[in-house]
Amino acid sequence: AQTVTQSQPEMSVQEAETVTLSCTYDTSESDYYLFWYKQPPSRQMILVIRQEAYKQQNATENRFSVNFQKAAKSFSLKISDSQLGDAAMYFCAYRSGGNFGNEKLTFGTGTRLTIIP
Amino acid sequence: DAMVIQNPRYQVTQFGKPVTLSCSQTLNHNVMYWYQQKSSQAPKLLFHYYDKDFNNEADTPDNFQSRRPNTSFCFLDIRSPGLGDAAMYLCATSRDRGRSQPQHFGDGTRLSIL
């Protein structure tokens, strides 16, 4: 079974600075997908960024980028120019690239990010 | 805006008293999911529907059931809630099955057991 580990329960960063959230995973599969989701306080979880394992190029979405190291099974999220609205719980998630029907997202336990004004 | 709506946001029930949580979506997505998220833990998939096809996770207790009467609605039934079932329950949808399909989440229903 796949596991996802987020070793930083809490992080904080000064507004406008850069912060990196770490995520490691364990799998024996070669085809899979990785996601970062953001869950603001009392609000719904939303997708921040996703990465296909077969793509070597790191995904980027505006101020959000990932450092995907497949051999090391590491998938960190970098947030540049942090803004107050980035304050949230961030979840790393893994999804198998297998056949249809394997719809399970395996989540890490999350990192709570605080933005310091 | 198209969305995933969960009602109620907070639900309190008594130990052993059946409870139903609801989820509706205006996205017209084929797949609907139910996750359980206990305090300080990762969300855990309970089951999902692909259209009318129900898919249960192997470790989901029998106490948890689900219904999907139409594309828009999906219900989570807990037949005899125990104290260990207190959690946030998240509903999510995706447009179709497929490995890179993102899941769209509702706000969740926080269930308390008295």
Side-chain angles (χ1 to χ4, degrees):
Chain A
Q2 294 81 25
T3 59
V4 178
T5 301
Q6 293 179 250
S7 59
Q8 305 153 316
E10 297 184 356
M11 294 275 289
S12 61
V13 63
Q14 292 277 354
E15 193 176 2
E17 297 295 311
T18 295
V19 64
T20 298
L21 309 184
S22 66
C23 173
T24 58
Y25 57 94
D26 188 24
T27 184
S28 59
E29 299 176 330
S30 58
D31 183 18
Y32 51 87
Y33 294 78
L34 297 165
F35 304 83
W36 278 99
Y37 280 88
K38 167 186 177 182
Q39 188 177 37
S42 301
R43 293 181 60 189
Q44 64 189 188
M45 196 176 316
I46 57 174
L47 179 66
V48 175
I49 199 165
R50 59 182 157 178
Q51 174 82 40
E52 291 90 342
Y54 62 85
K55 288 188 177 179
Q56 291 188 341
Q57 186 173 4
N58 289 324
T60 299
E61 289 286 342
N62 300 315
R63 297 183 295 107
F64 298 87
S65 61
V66 298
N67 183 6
F68 173 49
Q69 301 289 328
K70 191 171 184 178
K73 297 179 182 175
S74 171
F75 182 60
S76 61
L77 174 69
K78 186 172 82 170
I79 305 174
S80 303
D81 186 25
S82 298
Q83 300 175 1
L84 294 177
D86 295 333
M89 181 73 89
Y90 286 81
F91 290 97
C92 178
Y94 172 103
R95 183 171 184 172
S96 173
N99 295 330
F100 284 157
N102 189 359
E103 303 298 314
K104 184 175 183 177
L105 270 179
T106 300
F107 285 91
T109 51
T111 296
R112 185 172 300 281
L113 179 64
T114 300
I115 311 296
I116 303 168
Chain B
D1 289 341
M3 12 183 358
V4 181
I5 303 163
Q6 291 188 243
N7 285 306
R9 290 293 305 276
Y10 302 92
Q11 176 74 55
V12 180
T13 191
Q14 292 179 328
F15 182 94
K17 185 175 181 180
V19 65
T20 295
L21 310 182
S22 73
C23 177
S24 64
Q25 53 125 344
T26 60
L27 297 159
N28 202 33
H29 282 177
N30 285 323
V31 194
M32 296 186 77
Y33 309 80
W34 280 104
Y35 288 86
Q36 180 192 61
Q37 185 179 19
K38 294 187 178 181
S39 180
S40 302
Q41 295 185 22
K44 178 177 175 297
L45 182 65
L46 295 173
F47 26 59
H48 77 272
Y49 272 95
Y50 175 64
D51 196 11
K52 295 182 180 180
D53 182 25
F54 177 71
N55 297 269
N56 200 28
E57 291 298 306
D59 54 355
T60 297
D62 293 340
N63 198 27
F64 291 85
Q65 305 284 321
S66 186
R67 296 170 284 133
R68 190 180 185 186
N70 53 53
T71 299
S72 300
F73 285 87
C74 194
F75 299 98
L76 169 62
D77 301 308
I78 309 177
R79 291 191 296 187
S80 181
L83 296 178
D85 297 328
M88 176 74 85
Y89 290 88
L90 299 172
C91 175
T93 72
S94 63
R95 184 168 55 88
D96 208 336
R97 293 197 293 195
R99 297 163 289 179
S100 67
Q101 291 286 330
Q103 295 184 15
H104 302 261
F105 286 82
D107 288 340
T109 294
R110 185 169 297 281
L111 178 66
S112 299
I113 314 295
L114 297 180

